[in-house]
Amino acid sequence: MCTFKPRHFRVGGFFLLWQNSCMETTSETICAIATPPGRGGVGIIRISGINLHDFVTSMIGNLPKPRYAAYRKFRGLDGEIIDAGIVLYFPAPNSFTGEDVIELQGHGGPVVMDMLIEQVLRLGARLARPGEFSERAFLNNKLDLAQAEAIADLIDSGSRAAARLANRSLLGIFSQQIRQLVDEMIQLRLYVEAAIDFPEEDIDFLSDGIVSTRLQSIHDKTKQIQKSARIGTLLRDGMQLVIAGRPNAGKSSLLNALCGRETAIVTEIAGTTRDLLREQIQIDGMPLHLIDTAGLRHSDDAVEIEGIRRAREEIDSADMILWVYDALDGVEQDVDDLSLLPQDVPVTLVCNKIDKVDAHGSIDKAADGVTVSLSAKSGEGVDLLREHLKQSMGYHADEEGEFIARRRHLDAIKRALTYIESGKKALQSTLSGELLAEDLRQAQNALSEITGEFSADDLLGEIFSSFCIGK
């Protein structure tokens, strides 16, 4: 079976052909135990291939009516009954993989499952690789790549919010937005390239303002998708939140307050924390990876120096930084340290120990940033910080328009934006339609990597290898 699946898109009077990289597979029948290992009331074996009718007749007798459950005895080659249970049959192309699919639902003991899978292997099947069922669904155009990834994300969801957004991606919400955006790029490319290739038609794509207006619209929509994808990525992977500041500012106390337990050792001695402390919490279903770091200061202590080096490494890779300072000392003494923080990482100032200055918890949103005043010791103002973190992650009570996303999706969208902005500069500065058309093509290819319309074999192999076996 050739798994090469070209996909056609009609735009105006033109046909465009996008082709998946051809991944070499055969018509082999694959099988796997689709339920978790161990004991359970039910164990499921999934089989997928071409024309399974003759393949399983010796094991279950005759196939049941498609998509109807039937009770069968499962027999070995010698006719001995191994188990008895339910058989489901999904003929191609109306199945998950697009091939014939059979599910054997027997008793969920590990020995029984091993005996059944051994019998299926004797009939000529082979064990499926991790994610191979989803891979075949993708190659047979039953799912696009973003939807296939959403299956794994739904299984691995660490919160209800992540599960809801993964389900939206599985239903095609994310893919639909990407395809609409790509279609707009194609339309604009056709307009620009027509003006280049057929100058006798007197299409002045620079003076009429159509191109610049449509290009700006594409840019704005890409930015909006990037924002939604960032929220989806944070819900899937969690926000990496680094707690930083000078020694004895109360960083470890803040970690304990956010975790709701005594995770870090807290003393009056400056520099208690020497190494990184990591904790994972959830705020209304949104995962946060908290990292408490060593206080930043000059030190001659070898252990503390190493702790400070590790702290700076984590700061550089953070999604967000909480810079904690003592309300008694003020933030002025931290100005030099704040200037050294990464410019592209958002920073929230946390004025701690307000109980010592007789102040109340508050949140101040100014043009130059956000300051949350609290007491990690008494807990006053900590809820304000939690609410701020939720909003920073893009929390919404309903996730209408949002979807689950991965880091590779963010990377693809970022590259697409880079090409779009390059095209805008080419249009404005050099008046070059050729450069704009090429930038649009590159942006289109970058976005098409998300759905798998344009992708490399090694990328597909890497994605599906991370799936669980039997899915």
Side-chain angles (χ1 to χ4, degrees):
M1 176 185 67
C2 180
T3 60
F4 175 75
K5 291 292 178 182
R7 303 185 183 185
H8 296 78
F9 296 82
R10 184 183 180 95
V11 182
F14 297 86
F15 277 100
L16 288 96
L17 174 64
W18 274 330
Q19 299 175 342
N20 285 328
S21 299
C22 191
M23 295 183 67
E24 185 177 346
T25 62
T26 67
S27 57
E28 294 175 302
T29 298
I30 58 173
C31 64
I33 299 174
T35 41
R39 298 175 61 191
V42 176
I44 299 174
I45 290 177
R46 181 171 291 156
I47 309 166
S48 180
I50 297 175
N51 190 15
L52 298 182
H53 186 276
D54 296 334
F55 178 84
V56 294
T57 50
S58 65
M59 188 174 181
I60 61 173
N62 61 309
L63 286 176
K65 183 178 177 181
R67 289 173 295 281
Y68 277 75
Y71 179 79
R72 293 285 190 274
K73 292 181 173 62
F74 307 148
R75 300 178 183 272
L77 291 178
D78 56 3
E80 180 184 359
I81 297 176
I82 300 173
D83 195 10
I86 298 298
V87 177
L88 291 171
Y89 172 48
F90 306 91
N94 301 315
S95 69
F96 175 73
T97 63
E99 304 169 341
D100 288 348
V101 172
I102 292 175
E103 287 191 359
L104 307 178
Q105 301 184 7
H107 296 91
V111 175
V112 175
M113 285 288 101
D114 286 344
M115 292 172 67
L116 288 176
I117 202 74
E118 182 180 350
Q119 175 62 20
V120 176
L121 293 174
R122 284 177 179 172
L123 291 171
R126 67 166 174 82
L127 289 175
R129 301 187 307 271
E132 191 167 2
F133 287 90
S134 297
E135 180 183 359
R136 291 193 177 193
F138 165 71
L139 294 171
N140 290 321
N141 283 339
K142 304 299 290 186
L143 299 168
D144 64 37
L145 196 53
Q147 289 175 296
E149 290 173 306
I151 295 172
D153 294 335
L154 184 60
I155 293 171
D156 295 335
S157 295
S159 66
R160 291 187 177 185
R164 284 195 295 268
L165 295 199
N167 192 51
R168 288 177 61 80
S169 287
L170 180 56
L171 293 173
I173 304 298
F174 185 21
S175 302
Q176 182 180 5
Q177 293 186 27
I178 293 296
R179 288 198 178 97
Q180 289 175 349
L181 186 58
V182 166
D183 188 60
E184 289 187 36
M185 289 182 181
I186 293 172
Q187 295 273 7
L188 185 55
R189 277 184 62 195
L190 292 176
Y191 184 81
V192 173
E193 291 176 5
I196 296 170
D197 295 337
F198 305 103
E200 65 275 8
E201 299 295 330
D202 295 327
I203 301 175
D204 189 349
F205 61 87
L206 296 177
S207 63
D208 60 16
I210 293 177
V211 171
S212 59
T213 300
R214 290 166 66 177
L215 188 59
Q216 185 60 48
S217 174
I218 288 172
H219 179 271
D220 294 343
K221 290 178 181 178
T222 307
K223 291 288 288 185
Q224 182 58 45
I225 290 177
Q226 184 185 47
K227 179 181 177 182
S228 296
R230 180 179 177 273
I231 295 170
T233 303
L234 291 176
L235 274 172
R236 178 184 182 272
D237 300 332
M239 175 187 279
Q240 183 131 318
L241 185 65
V242 173
I243 303 174
R246 296 173 64 85
N248 214 27
K251 300 184 296 300
S252 295
S253 296
L254 181 60
L255 175 72
N256 290 341
L258 289 172
C259 292
R261 61 181 183 276
E262 296 296 317
T263 295
I265 298 174
V266 177
T267 72
E268 295 297 326
I269 303 172
T272 303
T273 301
R274 299 293 188 91
D275 205 350
L276 304 174
L277 293 177
R278 302 177 186 271
E279 283 290 332
Q280 182 169 341
I281 64 171
Q282 287 191 6
I283 300 178
D284 284 347
M286 305 186 77
L288 278 172
H289 302 287
L290 300 176
I291 303 173
D292 182 21
T293 61
L296 303 182
R297 66 175 176 180
H298 175 73
S299 175
D300 295 323
D301 184 287
V303 177
E304 190 172 5
I305 290 172
E306 176 61 19
I308 293 171
R309 185 193 68 78
R310 295 184 182 186
R312 294 198 180 280
E313 280 187 352
E314 293 297 331
I315 287 172
D316 289 339
S317 61
D319 292 314
M320 184 176 181
I321 299 169
L322 294 183
W323 185 270
V324 185
Y325 66 93
D326 193 321
L328 286 171
D329 299 329
V331 74
E332 291 77 14
Q333 65 175 357
D334 296 358
V335 170
D336 290 340
D337 290 317
L338 288 168
S339 66
L340 298 176
L341 297 180
Q343 297 299 309
D344 58 343
V345 178
V347 178
T348 294
L349 299 179
V350 178
C351 177
N352 191 23
K353 304 183 182 181
I354 59 172
D355 52 304
K356 292 187 176 181
V357 295
D358 197 26
H360 298 287
S362 64
I363 181 167
D364 179 27
K365 298 181 179 180
D368 57 348
V370 177
T371 300
V372 180
S373 299
L374 54 79
S375 170
K377 182 178 180 180
S378 69
E380 183 172 358
V382 175
D383 284 343
L384 293 174
L385 178 60
R386 289 194 179 97
E387 189 64 30
H388 169 65
L389 294 176
K390 282 167 50 179
Q391 299 304 320
S392 298
M393 293 180 72
Y395 174 84
H396 301 287
D398 67 65
E399 293 86 12
E400 187 67 31
E402 309 297 352
F403 43 79
I404 208 71
R406 294 187 170 202
R407 296 285 176 179
R408 80 167 190 91
H409 301 154
L410 277 180
D411 175 66
I413 295 169
K414 182 179 179 181
R415 283 186 283 116
L417 272 172
T418 300
Y419 288 122
I420 292 170
E421 290 165 358
S422 174
K424 288 176 64 177
K425 290 179 182 177
L427 187 64
Q428 295 167 359
S429 60
T430 66
L431 306 180
S432 173
E434 290 86 352
L435 293 177
L436 173 59
E438 175 61 18
D439 283 325
L440 286 172
R441 185 185 71 83
Q442 295 281 13
Q444 172 189 324
N445 287 345
L447 290 178
S448 297
E449 290 178 12
I450 294 174
T451 57
E453 305 288 357
F454 180 88
S455 55
D457 289 353
D458 55 352
L459 171 64
L460 299 181
E462 180 181 345
I463 288 172
F464 287 110
S465 66
S466 66
F467 284 35
C468 58
I469 294 175
K471 201 56 181 162

